[in-house]
Amino acid sequence: MEIGLGLDATLNLAFADQAALAQEAARLGYTSLWTPEGTGQDAFQLCSQRWAASCQVMSEGLSTGIGVSPVLYRTPIAFAMSGGTVSQLTGGRFIMGLGVGGSYRPRTRQTLGLPRLSTLALMRDYLITVRRLVAGEEVTYQGEVVTLQGLKLAISPPPRTPVYLGALGPEMLRLGGELADGICLNWCTPEHIAWSRERLAEGAARCHRDPQQVQVVEYIRVCVDEDVEVARRAFARSTMGYALGQWVPTERERRLGYRAHFERMGYTEALAELDRMRQRGAAPDEVAAAFPPELLQRVGYYGTPEGAAAAFRRLAEGLDVALVRVVAARPGMASVLAVLRACQPALVNAS
């Protein structure tokens, strides 16, 4: 199992800090550097910068990846151009992850001026066209969402750019098993990693594909501090936006996205109780304080640095690449570096 590092915008890192962390990750034995993408800094440029910084420690640099970028922000040709360029720049050490983002939410579609659409059709169209484009093919394709007529990426020779799919639900996992180079999981228990692999294998069987050809990657969030309560509250705050969402969900919204994912793992009543707190007007810090510790520890780790490596190893069971997603207990680089060092590959593999 490979061990990579995930850094996101919530850490509020300056570019110089990100470069320093890339170099430290290379020194500590991490094999890759990953970032999710929202509507902030461009993830392709972040990957390029981090790779270049890591080259100061190891000549070929660390592999970099985006896990994941919402497809509503770019066309297939834009993804192919950006991904192909970063792959060419890094000598093929780049992985491009695509996901639905909030496209299943009416509010998100309204923000972007988009009609209602099938997220499965959307991702099928993007996977097919982006993979063909970065492979150097001339693409003519008519899908439910994407139409291309004779387009070809003008990068020669075409670089090797694996395209991964962010997937949570059973049908998206099956789609990844059928079409993607890899699957990006998120917020999974070890049991749910195994369940996800079963769904992936079902999708691979549709096209007589070996499921072992599809890499399984996951962010595992880690927050460390000598004060366990400080770590717990920071970890709970990082979980809330995913497990609960920005507002109390409707019955339909509970069947979609991350809320459905957490409920599939058995946390329906625990989340419903937190929703009741929100409906009564509880402040975010009150909700974070009430988050069940057993839920938090089943999908990540918070606590002292000494316990992080063994917990990470247990949570990563069944993955091909496990990513240490840093949750900072306190503002500043010290808390970020504490996670890097607590989960460095030598310690995880020895646990």
Side-chain angles (χ1 to χ4, degrees), residues 5-11 33-44 46-47 50 65-70 97 186 219 221 242 258 323 325:
L5 179 68
L7 303 171
D8 64 46
T10 66
L11 300 173
L33 295 163
W34 293 69
T35 183
E37 186 169 52
T39 54
Q41 293 173 334
D42 182 271
F44 292 93
L46 288 179
C47 285
R50 293 173 182 179
I66 299 175
V68 297
S69 179
N186 208 0
Y219 287 127
R221 286 160 179 80
Y242 291 89
Y258 279 103
L323 307 176
R325 177 77 169 265

Side-chain angles (χ1 to χ4, degrees), residues 284-307:
D285 283 348
E286 294 178 80
V287 178
F291 236 91
E294 60 272 18
L295 186 163
L296 299 175
Q297 294 281 24
R298 290 287 292 148
V299 294
Y301 174 79
Y302 69 83
T304 62
E306 293 75 21

Side-chain angles (χ1 to χ4, degrees), residues 164 176-177 180-183 197-198 200-205 208-216 318-320:
Y164 286 19
D181 295 298
I183 293 290
R197 278 196 174 274
E198 290 172 0
L200 184 160
E202 290 166 2
H208 307 289
R209 187 184 188 194
D210 181 357
Q212 296 303 313
Q213 293 178 347
V214 186
Q215 291 282 288
V216 179
L319 298 173
D320 296 309

Side-chain angles (χ1 to χ4, degrees), residues 28-314:
L28 291 173
Y30 289 93
T31 60
S32 55
L33 295 163
W34 293 69
T35 183
E37 186 169 52
T39 54
Q41 293 173 334
D42 182 271
F44 292 93
Q45 295 190 54
L46 288 179
C47 285
S48 298
Q49 188 228 24
R50 293 173 182 179
W51 170 80
S54 71
C55 288
Q56 302 301 310
V57 177
M58 50 191 299
S59 59
E60 71 276 20
L62 292 177
S63 294
T64 61
I66 299 175
V68 297
S69 179
V71 297
L72 296 182
Y73 299 156
R74 294 182 180 87
T75 65
I77 190 66
F79 272 113
M81 289 166 61
S82 295
T85 300
V86 179
S87 290
Q88 191 175 50
L89 176 70
T90 62
R93 299 179 69 77
F94 173 70
I95 295 167
M96 181 164 51
L98 308 179
V100 299
S103 61
Y104 59 88
R105 298 190 190 103
R107 300 180 209 203
T108 300
R109 294 197 301 273
Q110 289 167 9
T111 299
L112 297 172
L114 297 169
R116 185 171 182 175
L117 43 76
S118 162
T119 54
L120 281 170
L122 175 73
M123 296 315 302
R124 175 176 290 277
D125 287 0
Y126 266 78
L127 282 173
I128 290 171
T129 55
V130 173
R131 287 185 80 211
R132 289 179 182 174
L133 286 166
V134 295
E137 297 179 23
E138 182 176 303
V139 179
T140 294
Y141 178 82
Q142 177 72 56
E144 288 187 38
V145 181
V146 174
T147 297
L148 297 177
Q149 296 292 334
L151 276 172
K152 185 174 183 179
L153 193 65
I155 297 177
S156 183
R160 167 66 175 143
T161 308
V163 179
Y164 286 19
L165 174 66
L168 298 173
E171 285 305 318
M172 200 64 74
L173 288 161
R174 292 183 184 111
L175 179 65
E178 182 183 350
L179 292 175
D181 295 298
I183 293 290
C184 294
L185 302 177
N186 208 0
W187 295 106
C188 287
T189 64
E191 294 81 6
H192 205 77
I193 293 171
W195 177 88
S196 299
R197 278 196 174 274
E198 290 172 0
R199 307 291 82 75
L200 184 160
E202 290 166 2
R206 293 173 176 172
C207 56
H208 307 289
R209 187 184 188 194
D210 181 357
Q212 296 303 313
Q213 293 178 347
V214 186
Q215 291 282 288
V216 179
V217 177
E218 186 191 8
Y219 287 127
I220 299 174
R221 286 160 179 80
V222 177
C223 184
V224 301
D225 198 272
E226 294 299 340
D227 187 328
V228 173
E229 180 58 16
V230 168
R232 190 193 72 78
R233 287 186 178 243
F235 192 92
R237 287 192 294 271
S238 76
T239 311
M240 287 169 55
Y242 291 89
L244 292 176
Q246 295 179 341
W247 50 80
V248 175
T250 64
E251 284 300 311
R252 180 181 181 277
E253 288 170 337
R254 285 182 50 219
R255 299 194 296 271
L256 302 169
Y258 279 103
R259 183 56 177 258
H261 173 67
F262 276 87
E263 293 200 13
R264 276 191 297 270
M265 292 191 294
Y267 300 122
T268 301
E269 183 50 39
L271 297 178
E273 178 57 35
L274 295 173
D275 280 340
R276 288 189 282 271
M277 288 182 63
R278 295 198 292 173
Q279 288 170 327
R280 294 193 297 266
D285 283 348
E286 294 178 80
V287 178
F291 236 91
E294 60 272 18
L295 186 163
L296 299 175
Q297 294 281 24
R298 290 287 292 148
V299 294
Y301 174 79
Y302 69 83
T304 62
E306 293 75 21
F312 184 85
R313 178 74 183 184
R314 182 181 69 254

